[in-house]
Each structure stands twice: as structure tokens, then as C-alpha cells.
């Protein structure tokens, strides 16, 4: 039963003037400091229903296609992305007096798990472990990144939808992403969520009471673009040429000069989404291998070149304005090639023992890439593997795009980000 805020406040046993959310303009920043009360706002109630219905529709989509839903671990002993932006898991452990001095010292030195442990940055590696027996798997679970970033697109805790399936064709993975998002939008439209969002956002923009940062002017066109078929696809190399040509012609100016070796910045992605997508999402494929994680298979035209291959069989999906929402690739399923790729990135497979006898599973190689405790992942190839690929999909970022809310912290019910973890 939905109880209006006004009624809820009347039933409260404290003076109305003490209620943190008064009937006046409230900034988005302030509302994020009272997330437990922000949930009472009508727009937040609508976002909760949008999130719930999206979860259901995605579950239905994958169930209809015989995907197995899994619950991967939240605590891990490895860094999937290799960037080192992980939260360390620790506990205040009181060692029993019955333990010997050596055992007590080992617990104090190695921590609760006797080895470094972290909150997961991706469930991909664990999903891959199922590939031998299950051809299609997926999950929607919490993901954590210890990035000291406070942009509208980043949060420290968010929901990531991840998929792995047996395939040798990158286009098949992109087709699945396209079908998934289109099916989701069509299902939400049938439940009149677009009309509800437009009405709610129009109301708050006129009254200025909810203090959210959003825009409903182009909301309908966003949804229309997601429902169109045959989303454009362009290679990374072609995308960089497009950016460079726009600069040479004087058509565009960028803060960061387009360069093949420097990657795509947000301003570049926005330009590509506008010029190539024309209102639709855009797949950018075949990025340089040096920019991507170790586990990616080389591009189809370079599979036989081993470590000399320059590009990876991968893609990023860019949405207009919000940019990257999905990243995927084919996975390197050949043992020798995987080991060579890991060696080139200076990734340590086995635990490292120091002189004190303690174990440290996380080390930093010369390239600054963190690894360790990946022997189990190599076992997935050592004892037989199958060609497969998959993707990670930023669930909360898509909700931002669908709702027209610019800041991801306003669609996540309990936002955690650098410097903030309220409630």
C-alpha cells in the first residue's frame, strides 16, 4: 500500500519542521544524504518499480532462451579486471587462546581467510567455470569498484548483469545484447513505464520539489532508438579515423586529441554515439589488445598470430549521452595462448610466499597490473575448455538512460561512492 509523504508525515510523532525532506526545493546532493527517507519520494517509488520490473523481464528473457541463472561469490581471491581497484575484505578476528603461537601469528598475518580477499569487481571468471557443463549462464549481482571517482556515471557498489555462452562468433554475443535490451524496453513500454516516467519527471521539473537531476525532453526518442533494429557497428580503428577526420575538417574540437594509442575518452564516445548511432546504440569493436584485459581472444582475422595479434575480439556498446553500458568479448580458451597473455601482463598465477611464511596472493608486476591466485582460472583451460564469450552490462546505467536521470547515484536506492556510505 502506497502512503503519500504528506500522510506519512502527519502520522509521525515528531514536529513536521524536523522532517528532513521539507516541501520545498531539495538538491540531489542533499537527498543522497538521507537515502532512507528519499525512498518515500514518488519518483523514487517509481524507480523502485522500474528496477523490479526490469529484473523480472530480464529473468524472463534469459529463461525463455534456456540460460541458467547463477549466484557467483561476492568475496573473491582474485582481481578479474586486473586494475587493482578492489575493496579488501578484513575482519576483526580475536584468536582463541587455545591456538598455538604460530597459528595465532598466521591468522593475524594472513587475515580471516589466511590470504588476501576482495569484494568482486566482476563475476566473469566464476561464470566461465560453468562453461564446461552449461552452454549458457547469466547473473545479476552486486559488483564493487574502489575507484576514487565522483562522476555522475560511477558508484562504488552497483548491479552488474553478466553472461557467458558457448560461441566462436563475436557477432552472436552482440546480437544477444541487442535482443536483450530491445526486449527489455518493449516489455517496460507495455507496462506504461515510459508514460509514468514522463509524467513524474514533468511534475518534478515544474514543482522543483524532488531535486533530481534529469531531463524528460528526449525520453521518448531514447526509448524509440533502443527499439530500432540493426544497431550500427564500427571498429575501433574506424572510430578513431572518424574522430581525427572531424578535427581535421574543423567540424569538431576535443579536449583530448583522438589517438589510436590513447583510447576513447567520454567526449569521443559521445561524438561516435551521435554521428554513427543517430539516436541508436553503437557497437565499437576490435580494440587494441593492450587496452583490454588478458583473457580476451584476438580478433577473428588475427587468431593464428598468437601474441603478435594487435586487436581483441571485443566490443563496447555506447548509448547516446551516457556512453558505455556494455562491454564484451570472446574469451581465450586455449591454454598456451592464455598463459602467454598472462605472462606478457606480468600476472602471477600462484601465491607468493615471503620469508615470514605468510602468503600474499596479490602482487604488482612491472606494468602495474595486479594479479595473483589465478591458477584456478588457468585450470579451466588446462583440464579442457570450449570456445565461449560473454559480456558485462551496467544495469544501473541503463536505468539512468531509460529514466532520463543523469546521475547514477539517484537511481541506486542506497548509493555508495567515494567519501560516502550513509545508512
Amino acid at each position: 500500500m502506497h502512503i503519500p509523504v504528506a500522510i506519512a508525515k502527519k502520522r509521525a510523532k515528531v514536529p513536521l519542521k524536523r522532517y528532513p525532506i521539507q516541501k520545498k526545493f531539495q538538491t540531489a546532493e542533499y537527498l543522497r544524504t538521507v537515502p532512507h527517507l528519499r525512498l518515500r519520494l514518488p519518483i523514487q517509488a517509481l524507480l523502485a518499480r522500474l528496477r523490479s520490473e526490469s529484473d523480472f523481464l530480464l529473468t524472463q528473457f534469459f529463461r525463455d532462451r534456456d540460460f541458467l541463472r547463477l549466484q557467483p561469490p561476492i568475496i573473491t581471491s582474485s582481481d578479474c579486471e586486473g586494475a587493482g581497484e578492489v575493496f579488501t575484505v578484513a575482519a576483526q578476528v580475536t584468536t582463541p587462546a587455545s591456538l598455538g603461537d604460530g597459528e595465532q601469528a598466521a591468522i593475524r598475518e594472513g587475515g580471516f581467510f589466511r590470504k588476501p580477499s576482495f569484494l568482486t569487481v566482476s563475476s566473469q571468471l566464476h561464470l566461465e567455470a560453468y562453461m564446461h557443463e552449461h552452454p549458457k549462464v547469466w547473473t545479476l549481482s552486486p559488483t564493487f569498484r574502489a575507484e576514487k571517482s565522483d562522476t555522475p556515471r560511477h558508484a562504488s557498489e552497483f548491479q552488474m548483469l553478466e553472461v557467458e555462452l558457448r560461441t566462436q562468433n563475436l557477432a552472436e554475443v552482440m546480437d544477444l545484447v541487442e535482443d536483450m535490451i530491445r526486449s527489455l524496453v518493449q516489455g517496460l513500454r507495455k507496462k506504461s513505464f515510459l508514460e509514468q516516467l514522463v509524467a513524474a519527471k514533468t511534475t518534478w521539473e515544474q514543482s522543483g520539489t524532488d531535486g533530481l537531476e534529469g531531463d524528460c525532453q528526449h525520453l521518448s526518442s531514447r526509448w524509440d532508438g533502443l527499439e530500432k533494429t540493426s544497431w550500427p557497428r564500427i571498429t575501433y580503428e574506424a572510430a578513431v579515423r572518424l574522430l581525427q577526420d572531424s578535427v581535421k575538417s574543423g567540424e569538431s574540437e576535443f579536449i583530448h586529441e583522438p589517438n589510436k594509442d590513447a583510447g576513447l575518452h567520454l567526449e569521443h564516445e559521445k561524438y561516435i554515439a551521435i554521428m554513427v548511432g543517430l539516436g541508436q546504440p553503437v557497437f565499437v569493436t576490435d580494440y587494441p589488445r593492450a587496452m583490454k584485459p588478458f583473457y580476451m581472444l584476438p580478433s577473428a582475422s588475427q587468431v593464428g598470430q598468437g601474441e603478435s595479434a594487435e586487436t581483441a575480439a571485443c566490443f563496447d556498446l555506447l548509448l547516446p549521452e551516457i556512453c558505455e553500458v556494455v562491454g564484451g568479448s570472446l574469451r581465450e580458451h586455449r591454454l598456451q595462448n592464455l598463459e602467454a597473455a598472462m605472462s606478457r601482463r606480468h600476472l602471477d598465477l600462484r601465491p607468493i610466499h615471503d620469508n615470514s611464511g605468510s602468503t600474499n596472493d596479490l602482487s604488482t608486476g612491472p606494468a602495474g597490473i595486479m594479479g595473483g591466485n589465478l591458477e584456478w582460472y588457468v585450470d579451466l583451460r588446462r583440464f579442457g575448455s570450449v570456445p565461449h564469450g560473454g559480456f558485462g552490462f551496467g544495469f544501473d546505467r541503463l536505468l539512468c538512460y531509460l529514466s532520463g536521470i543523469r546521475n547514477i547515484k539517484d537511481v541506486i536506492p542506497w548509493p555508495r561512492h567515494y567519501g560516502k556510505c550513509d545508512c
Side-chain angles (χ1 to χ4, degrees), residues 84-104:
E85 296 169 335
V86 294
F87 288 101
T88 300
V89 176
Q92 293 181 341
V93 180
T94 302
T95 55
S98 59
L99 295 179
D101 292 340
E103 290 179 296
Q104 290 189 40

Side-chain angles (χ1 to χ4, degrees), residues 393-407:
F393 159 45
F395 181 64
D396 299 294
R397 280 192 182 178
L398 183 65
L399 293 184
C400 279
Y401 189 73
L402 293 175
S403 64
I405 293 175
R406 299 190 189 102
N407 199 313

Side-chain angles (χ1 to χ4, degrees), residues 8 10 18 34 63 66 87-88 134 158 172 179 189 193 215 255 270-271 275 294 296 314 317 333 349 367 381 390 401:
K10 287 180 181 179
R18 290 182 55 190
V34 286
R63 182 180 176 84
D66 298 321
F87 288 101
T88 300
H134 305 284
F158 52 94
E172 183 179 353
D179 292 344
R189 191 186 284 271
F193 272 96
D215 176 20
I255 297 175
K270 288 184 175 181
Y271 181 86
M275 300 305 296
F294 69 94
M296 292 187 177
C314 66
L317 178 66
H333 59 279
L349 304 184
R381 275 66 172 171
Y401 189 73

Side-chain angles (χ1 to χ4, degrees), residues 185-193 195 223:
V185 174
Q186 290 172 345
L188 291 172
R189 191 186 284 271
K190 288 179 182 178
K191 292 291 186 178
S192 302
F193 272 96
E195 290 79 6
W223 286 53

Side-chain angles (χ1 to χ4, degrees), residues 284-390:
V284 180
T285 68
D286 301 283
Y287 284 74
R289 291 184 71 196
M291 296 180 183
K292 293 296 182 178
F294 69 94
Y295 50 72
M296 292 187 177
L297 192 73
S299 297
S301 60
Q302 302 179 8
V303 168
Q305 298 181 21
E307 283 306 289
S308 63
E310 295 183 354
T311 60
C314 66
F315 67 86
D316 284 347
L317 178 66
L318 310 181
L319 296 187
E321 299 176 63
I322 203 167
C323 295
E324 183 193 351
V325 170
V326 183
S329 73
L330 296 181
R331 318 308 192 191
E332 180 57 82
H333 59 279
R334 301 163 299 176
L335 175 61
Q336 291 184 342
N337 298 77
L338 179 65
E339 289 180 327
M342 296 175 75
S343 176
R344 184 176 59 147
R345 302 293 185 93
H346 307 287
L347 288 166
D348 299 291
L349 304 184
R350 289 172 290 275
I352 296 176
H353 299 269
D354 60 26
N355 294 331
S356 67
S358 64
T359 301
N360 181 5
D361 274 18
L362 192 69
S363 64
T364 305
I369 300 173
M370 303 183 78
N373 198 33
L374 289 169
E375 187 74 15
W376 70 271
Y377 183 70
V378 178
D379 278 348
L380 301 180
R381 275 66 172 171
R382 181 177 292 117
F383 300 110
S385 184
V386 293
H388 61 283

